[in-house]
């Protein structure tokens, strides 16, 4: 039976959980016929404009009044910014829409015992669909990284985002009127039921056949064809999608071989290879289609010396994984994808991410998040602070290849600030000197600097005659933490100035609560080549949240003309004019008069998380001391606390809650660790490397005798001059890189009693020589 209550326009509103009713992510829908004459549910806004789930932003109580007036019902949208999940189990139908397998019996009870048990186990809000032939379950859960929304089966559908459920309020008998958490193991079992793990599905190829060419010879041939070469290196060129490019490359390969396994192997070595190729249905279908399309076969001929050379070069690059700018880097299996929840921002700033992605000429989700956070940073400026004295001002760097779309972050920030009548918050695109930084802050104490080609700016500071550039970086670094105090502009020379000029030059030299936000863009090679150990140890680089996108060059897509949501504009304006004085939205922006900020307390639960995180970072820094880059993590906890303030205000909270701290810590931690690995592998610490080279050369030269620490100290001057921490670090790193064997209190056979510990390169070690 169906539990019924008073309904409004056919919807039992009072049955719908209050938690869902309070969410502004509802839309309207109505039945329409598609091109094949099938009845479908099309989503709409109250204004009658077709919309999508990510644009659903309306309140349920208001939308219900529209039902029956041209609309069939209301729908609840699942978004990337929430934790709601939905399981849809509907009747199976044939091609003509006739039901061939029912879900509910005549008493409205679920027929399939497995699904009935699932409803009971989840124990969350469950209702019967508008057709009366299916059920919807809505619950909270956290999909694992890499999970897709949707399904591979017809048994049911599981959604985390990008779709909406039609909502009736007709509760399935016995189901609660509340949203509950799903057990993580139950969610995993449900997902795997609907999306069987790919490793259990063997590829099915419909063709056989061999080739007179080896795989290496085929790649040689591909490299001599400009179009095939571009595809093999991962450039989709003029194709509308990567799937089309995948098919095109398979056709190129199929010309040289009729062997599906060879096509699969060669494609897997290409730059187009990605996780989707692991799907047996996708890879086998693409290969079989290529074998159907390509009728001509390669006639064996002698391979030219030039083709051999090209093939050798590409194999060398693939095998050594060289990391040069403008060259394809083979995707490495097992690299963890960015956690899904870090690809948006909780609260209203999540809508900024959605708007960015909807309008960007090139999709860059990670840069969209950086842009949203930078927008929050400058909008909140010196008007919001935690009770731990954390302000919102942060520095960001987006690292991506040229033509990858990194510049759009600056575009969207300026556009939204302009729409919110906050153009005064837009600063310069270049700080030519320290004085320029001070001048810009004196003009506008709160602003965002949007800097393109940041790597070139860093590179220019290496020049001996560019003291202005170094001064600019120094002042920027100082401003990062000055929002809780003031900046004193250095005294200027008054030589040759008039009395009036002297008065003007000496006046207003103090900037109270300067709030500088920076978002910079750069290419990987320029950036990492420009970074020095001094940039790290000085604390300049550690002040930035650095995000390097793995998404490469893309074709430009036509930009959507949709308007930014009004709630984003209103939020920016309110943040930029907020004042603690009894709600006074003052326009104070004077360098010597600061507004009274709104204080956002950090709850004890959140404080405990930050305390634990800081402890972890301190231990990590100890391990990084030997590389001289421990400072990379020196500001991570402070950055996380600043981020938590932005997230709290984004969520409309006047406290930094545990969930705000959790997201901020995860974001700061994830990208700090990424930065550590990038800097360790790309930025040279020549002193430490020199010591390592000196020691391994000496130990290796002793072959199977190895060396004691005393012998190493005696024969290696750089090692001898180092402190114990560096010495331990050298032996640990060499142990990892060269597999040093430590022989403890042993002696060589026939040479008397035990001696001191000795270090031997593994290739020279023979256990039988030691007793």
């Amino acid at each position: 039976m169906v539990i019924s209550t008073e309904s409004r326009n056919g919807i039992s509103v009072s049955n719908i959980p209050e938690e869902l009713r309070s969410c502004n992510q509802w839309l309207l829908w109505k039945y329409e016929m598609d091109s094949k004459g099938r009845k479908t549910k099309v989503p709409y806004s109250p204004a009658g404009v077709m919309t999508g789930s990510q644009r659903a932003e309306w309140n349920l109580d208001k939308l219900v009044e529209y039902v029956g007036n041209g609309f069939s019902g209301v729908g609840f949208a699942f978004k990337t910014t929430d934790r709601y999940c939905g399981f849809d189990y509907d009747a199976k139908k044939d091609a003509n829409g006739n039901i061939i397998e029912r879900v509910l019996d005549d008493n409205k009870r679920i027929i399939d015992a497995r699904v009935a048990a699932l409803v009971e186990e989840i124990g969350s809000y469950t209702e019967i669909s508008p057709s009366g032939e299916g059920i919807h379950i809505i619950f909270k859960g956290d999909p694992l990284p890499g999970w897709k929304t949707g399904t591979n089966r017809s048994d049911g559908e599981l959604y985390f985002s990008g779709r909406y459920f039609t909502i009736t309020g007709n509760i399935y008998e016995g189901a609660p009127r509340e949203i509950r958490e799903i057990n993580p193991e139950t969610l995993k079992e449900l997902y795997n039921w609907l999306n069987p793990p790919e490793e259990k599905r063997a590829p099915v190829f419909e063709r056989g056949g061999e080739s007179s060419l080896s795989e290496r010879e085929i790649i040689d041939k591909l490299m001599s064809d400009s179009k095939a070469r571009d595809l093999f290196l991962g450039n989709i060129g003029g194709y509308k999608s990567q799937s089309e490019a995948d098919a095109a490359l398979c056709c190129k390969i199929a010309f040289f071989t009729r062997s599906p396994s060879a096509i699969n192997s060669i494609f897997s070595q290409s730059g187009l290879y990605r996780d989707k190729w692991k799907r047996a249905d996708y890879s086998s279908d693409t290969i079989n289609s290529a074998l159907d399309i390509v009728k001509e076969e390669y006639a064996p001929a002698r391979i030219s010396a030039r083709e051999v050379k090209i093939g050798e070069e590409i194999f060398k690059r693939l095998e050594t994984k060289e990391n040069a700018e403008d060259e394809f880097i083979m995707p490495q299996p097992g690299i963890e994808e960015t956690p899904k929840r870090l690809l948006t921002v909780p609260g209203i700033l999540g809508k900024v991410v959605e708007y960015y992605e909807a309008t960007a000429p090139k999709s860059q989700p990670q840069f969209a998040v950086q842009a949203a956070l930078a927008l929050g940073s400058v909008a909140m400026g010196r008007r919001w602070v935690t009770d731990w004295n954390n302000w919102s001002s942060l520095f960001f760097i987006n690292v991506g290849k040229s033509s990858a779309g990194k510049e759009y972050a600056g575009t969207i920030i300026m556009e939204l600030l302009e729409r919110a009548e906050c153009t005064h918050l837009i600063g310069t695109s270049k700080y030519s000197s320290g004085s320029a930084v001070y001048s810009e802050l004196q003009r506008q104490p709160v602003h965002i600097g949007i800097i393109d080609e940041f790597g070139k700016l860093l590179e220019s500071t290496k020049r001996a005659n560019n003291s202005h550039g170094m001064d600019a970086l120094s002042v920027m670094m100082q401003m990062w933490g000055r929002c809780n105090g003031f900046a004193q502009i250095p005294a200027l020379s008054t030589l040759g100035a008039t009395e009036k000029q002297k008065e003007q030059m000496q006046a207003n030299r103090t900037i109270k609560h300067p709030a500088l936000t920076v978002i910079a863009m750069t290419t990987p090679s320029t950036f990492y080549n420009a970074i020095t150990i001094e940039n790290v140890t000085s604390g300049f680089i550690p002040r930035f949240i650095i995000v390097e996108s793995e998404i490469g060059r893309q074709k430009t897509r036509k930009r959507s003309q949709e308007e930014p949501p009004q709630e984003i504009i209103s939020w920016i304006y309110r943040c930029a004019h907020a004042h603690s004085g009894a709600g006074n939205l003052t326009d104070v922006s004077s360098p010597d008069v600061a507004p009274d900020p709104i204080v956002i307390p950090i709850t004890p639960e959140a404080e405990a998380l930050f305390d634990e995180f800081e402890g972890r970072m301190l231990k990590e820094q100890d391990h990084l001391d030997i590389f001289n880059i421990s400072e990379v993590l020196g500001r991570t906890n402070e950055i996380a606390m600043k981020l938590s303030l932005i997230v709290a205000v984004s969520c409309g909270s006047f406290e930094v809650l545990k969930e705000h701290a959790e997201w901020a810590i995860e974001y700061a931690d994830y990208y700090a660790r990424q930065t550590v690995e990038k800097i360790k592998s790309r930025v040279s610490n020549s002193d430490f490397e020199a010591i390592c080279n000196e020691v391994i050369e000496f130990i290796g030269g002793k072959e199977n005798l190895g060396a004691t620490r005393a012998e190493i100290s005696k024969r290696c001057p750089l090692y001898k001059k180092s402190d114990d921490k560096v010495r331990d670090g050298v032996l640990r790193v060499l142990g990892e890189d060269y597999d040093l064997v430590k022989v403890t209190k042993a002696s060589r056979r026939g040479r008397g009693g035990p001696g001191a510990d000795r270090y031997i390169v593994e290739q020279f070690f023979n256990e039988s020589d030691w007793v």
Side-chain angles (χ1 to χ4, degrees):
M1 66 185 250
V2 176
I3 299 175
S4 61
T5 59
E6 271 190 44
S7 66
R8 293 170 56 191
N9 293 338
I11 298 171
S12 300
V13 176
S14 58
N15 279 347
I16 300 172
E18 179 60 33
E19 179 176 345
L20 295 186
R21 292 172 59 181
S22 63
C23 293
N24 290 329
Q25 51 195 84
W26 292 82
L27 46 72
L28 294 161
W29 63 271
K30 60 183 175 181
Y31 287 115
E32 293 184 358
M33 305 300 289
D34 65 13
S35 59
K36 296 183 179 180
R38 297 174 300 193
K39 189 161 71 169
T40 61
K41 303 182 186 75
V42 181
Y44 279 91
S45 73
V49 179
M50 287 181 61
T51 187
S53 59
Q54 291 300 328
R55 300 285 293 146
E57 53 190 28
W58 296 279
N59 178 271
L60 171 64
D61 290 332
K62 293 181 180 179
L63 291 191
V64 169
E65 303 305 322
Y66 290 85
V67 177
N69 186 20
F71 297 102
S72 306
V74 295
F76 180 80
F78 301 99
K79 298 190 176 186
T80 56
T81 52
D82 62 44
R83 298 181 62 244
Y84 294 114
C85 308
F87 175 59
D88 178 16
Y89 193 74
D90 209 350
K92 293 181 177 63
K93 300 177 181 179
D94 61 20
N96 297 318
N98 301 313
I99 295 176
I100 57 176
E101 187 175 327
R102 298 175 64 189
V103 170
L104 304 173
D105 60 21
D106 294 337
N107 295 318
K108 295 300 180 181
R109 302 296 300 167
I110 296 173
I111 297 171
D112 190 321
R114 175 179 51 179
V115 178
L118 183 66
V119 170
E120 184 175 351
E121 183 176 357
I122 295 175
S124 190
Y125 177 72
T126 304
E127 67 164 44
I128 295 177
S129 61
S131 66
E133 300 292 344
I135 62 163
H136 294 153
I137 312 175
I138 300 178
F139 51 90
K140 282 185 175 180
D142 296 305
L144 295 179
W147 280 9
K148 64 179 182 179
T149 189
T151 181
N152 279 342
R153 298 169 65 106
S154 60
D155 303 61
E157 295 177 310
L158 177 63
Y159 294 107
F160 313 120
S161 64
R163 291 291 292 268
Y164 73 94
F165 274 1
T166 55
I167 300 295
T168 61
N170 294 332
I171 300 180
Y172 180 72
E173 183 179 9
R177 288 184 174 87
E178 61 181 342
I179 305 298
R180 294 178 180 170
E181 290 270 346
I182 189 173
N183 182 292
E185 288 303 314
T186 302
L187 178 59
K188 188 175 181 180
E189 290 173 8
L190 176 59
Y191 182 83
N192 288 335
W193 169 38
L194 301 175
N195 299 273
E198 300 299 341
E199 60 268 21
K200 296 181 181 179
R201 304 173 61 206
V204 178
F205 297 113
E206 300 167 354
R207 302 285 192 282
E210 298 296 331
S211 171
S212 60
L213 299 175
S214 67
E215 288 186 17
R216 183 162 185 165
E217 289 171 332
I218 292 172
I219 293 178
D220 290 338
K221 289 293 183 183
L222 295 174
M223 292 302 101
S224 63
D225 179 303
S226 60
K227 291 184 178 179
R229 181 179 184 275
D230 283 344
L231 288 169
F232 191 83
L233 295 179
N235 302 320
I236 68 173
Y239 295 98
K240 294 179 181 178
S241 67
Q242 185 167 341
S243 296
E244 290 186 16
D246 292 349
L249 179 57
C250 285
C251 286
K252 292 283 187 181
I253 302 171
F255 174 73
F256 295 103
T257 178
R258 308 301 294 174
S259 167
S261 61
I263 297 174
N264 180 50
S265 176
I266 293 169
F267 184 94
S268 297
Q269 299 174 61
S270 78
L272 293 179
Y273 179 79
R274 53 185 166 144
D275 284 343
K276 187 176 181 179
W277 190 257
K278 297 175 186 176
R279 277 179 38 197
D281 58 336
Y282 179 76
S283 55
S284 59
D285 287 350
T286 305
I287 291 172
N288 290 327
S289 296
L291 289 168
D292 274 338
I293 294 170
V294 179
K295 303 301 182 184
E296 292 182 84
E297 293 186 35
Y298 172 72
R302 189 170 63 85
I303 302 172
S304 70
R306 177 177 179 277
E307 288 174 325
V308 171
K309 183 177 181 182
I310 293 173
E312 288 175 347
E313 288 175 354
I314 188 63
F315 263 91
K316 180 180 179 182
R317 180 162 67 253
L318 294 177
E319 291 168 356
T320 59
K321 303 176 183 67
E322 290 179 349
N323 192 14
E325 176 69 355
D326 298 325
E327 290 188 346
F328 159 71
I329 303 170
M330 177 65 75
Q332 297 301 300
I335 293 179
E336 184 181 0
E337 295 182 1
T338 304
K340 178 183 176 182
R341 76 194 217 109
L342 298 187
L343 295 179
T344 186
V345 183
I348 191 67
L349 288 176
K351 292 186 178 294
V352 176
V353 176
E354 293 175 12
Y355 181 67
Y356 180 112
E357 280 293 286
T359 60
K362 299 175 181 182
S363 174
Q364 284 287 2
Q366 291 169 286
F367 295 165
V369 173
Q370 290 272 90
L373 291 171
L375 188 64
S377 171
V378 69
M380 292 168 62
R382 53 182 184 167
R383 296 175 180 270
W384 303 79
V385 64
T386 72
D387 59 348
W388 277 62
N389 215 19
N390 309 114
W391 303 72
S392 66
S393 298
L394 284 164
F395 292 180
F396 305 84
I397 297 178
N398 289 344
V399 183
K401 286 191 172 184
S402 57
S403 303
K406 58 185 177 296
E407 299 82 6
Y408 190 64
T411 302
I412 202 79
I413 289 170
M414 289 191 290
E415 175 189 332
L416 293 176
L417 287 175
E418 183 178 2
R419 292 295 187 97
E421 299 179 9
C422 292
T423 53
H424 60 284
L425 299 182
I426 302 174
T428 182
S429 61
K430 183 178 180 181
Y431 298 104
S432 57
S433 66
S435 297
V437 179
Y438 283 124
S439 296
E440 193 69 8
L441 284 169
Q442 193 171 37
R443 178 191 69 82
Q444 178 47 253
V446 182
H447 72 266
I448 183 169
I450 301 172
I451 305 175
D452 199 7
E453 303 294 349
F454 188 70
K456 291 183 178 178
L457 172 63
L458 282 179
E459 180 64 35
S460 70
T461 62
K462 293 182 180 180
R463 301 173 194 148
N465 61 346
N466 189 11
S467 59
H468 290 304
M470 294 179 65
D471 189 38
L473 298 186
S474 176
V475 175
M476 287 170 60
M477 184 171 70
Q478 295 172 36
M479 293 305 107
W480 190 85
R482 288 290 176 85
C483 202
N484 63 341
F486 61 89
Q488 191 72 28
I489 302 175
L492 302 173
S493 172
T494 58
L495 187 64
T498 66
E499 290 301 318
K500 185 175 182 180
Q501 289 172 331
K502 290 179 182 180
E503 291 178 7
Q504 292 176 339
M505 292 166 69
Q506 298 304 323
N508 300 325
R509 289 179 48 229
T510 299
I511 304 172
K512 293 184 178 179
H513 300 323
L516 173 62
T517 297
V518 173
I519 185 165
M521 284 67 72
T522 182
T523 57
S525 63
T526 307
F527 180 58
Y528 292 112
N529 289 340
I531 293 180
T532 63
I533 290 297
E534 289 71 24
N535 294 144
V536 176
T537 56
S538 69
F540 180 69
I541 291 299
R543 282 168 165 77
F544 286 86
I545 301 175
I546 303 172
V547 171
E548 180 173 352
S549 170
E550 298 299 328
I551 301 176
R553 297 180 177 88
Q554 307 171 60
K555 288 185 64 179
T556 303
R557 61 190 183 189
K558 185 177 180 181
R559 182 179 174 181
S560 166
Q561 298 302 310
E562 67 178 274
E563 293 291 307
Q566 184 57 43
E567 55 191 311
I568 294 177
I569 305 305
S570 300
W571 184 86
I572 295 171
Y573 184 88
R574 290 197 304 272
C575 284
H577 294 78
H579 191 274
S580 66
N584 176 28
L585 298 181
T586 179
D587 282 323
V588 170
S589 61
S590 169
D592 53 357
V593 178
D596 293 327
I598 296 176
V599 178
I600 305 293
I602 300 177
T603 61
E605 295 81 5
E607 283 184 12
L609 291 177
F610 288 124
D611 183 66
E612 187 273 336
F613 181 54
E614 185 173 26
R616 282 196 287 122
M617 289 298 99
L618 291 174
K619 290 181 180 179
E620 292 283 347
Q621 285 185 270
D622 289 339
H623 293 309
L624 293 175
D625 277 341
I626 61 170
F627 298 101
N628 208 18
I629 59 171
S630 59
E631 280 301 318
V632 174
L633 302 180
R635 301 278 179 171
T636 310
N637 190 56
E638 190 175 355
I639 287 172
M641 296 182 83
K642 286 172 172 252
L643 285 171
S644 72
L645 170 62
I646 296 173
V647 171
V649 177
S650 172
C651 293
S653 173
F654 281 88
E655 287 183 312
V656 174
L657 303 175
K658 180 182 178 182
E659 55 264 34
H660 306 145
E662 287 175 336
W663 189 93
I665 288 171
E666 185 176 359
Y667 193 85
D669 185 39
Y670 181 81
Y671 287 112
R673 292 178 184 277
Q674 185 183 86
T675 301
V676 164
E677 293 307 311
K678 298 287 185 181
I679 290 179
K680 276 175 64 177
S681 62
R682 295 185 177 187
V683 181
S684 171
N685 180 356
S686 56
D687 291 341
F688 186 75
E689 288 177 351
I691 301 171
C692 289
N693 291 336
E694 177 188 61
V695 172
I696 196 61
E697 184 176 355
F698 173 66
I699 296 176
K702 302 287 286 186
E703 297 189 351
N704 62 340
L705 290 175
T708 65
R709 290 189 71 147
E711 291 170 344
I712 296 170
S713 183
K714 184 177 179 180
R715 298 296 301 273
C716 301
L718 295 177
Y719 178 87
K720 182 177 181 179
K721 294 177 182 178
S722 304
D723 59 32
D724 288 341
K725 181 181 287 188
V726 172
R727 292 183 184 189
D728 291 341
V730 167
L731 293 175
R732 185 171 75 247
V733 170
L734 293 180
E736 295 170 355
D737 293 347
Y738 291 90
D739 296 321
L740 291 185
V741 175
K742 183 179 180 181
V743 182
T744 304
K745 303 300 181 184
S747 62
R748 283 183 61 81
R749 193 174 296 278
R751 294 207 177 185
D757 296 346
R758 303 187 74 85
Y759 296 87
I760 306 171
V761 177
E762 186 183 42
Q763 71 181 88
F764 299 121
F765 177 68
N766 185 343
E767 187 174 357
S768 63
D769 292 341
W770 298 87
V771 292

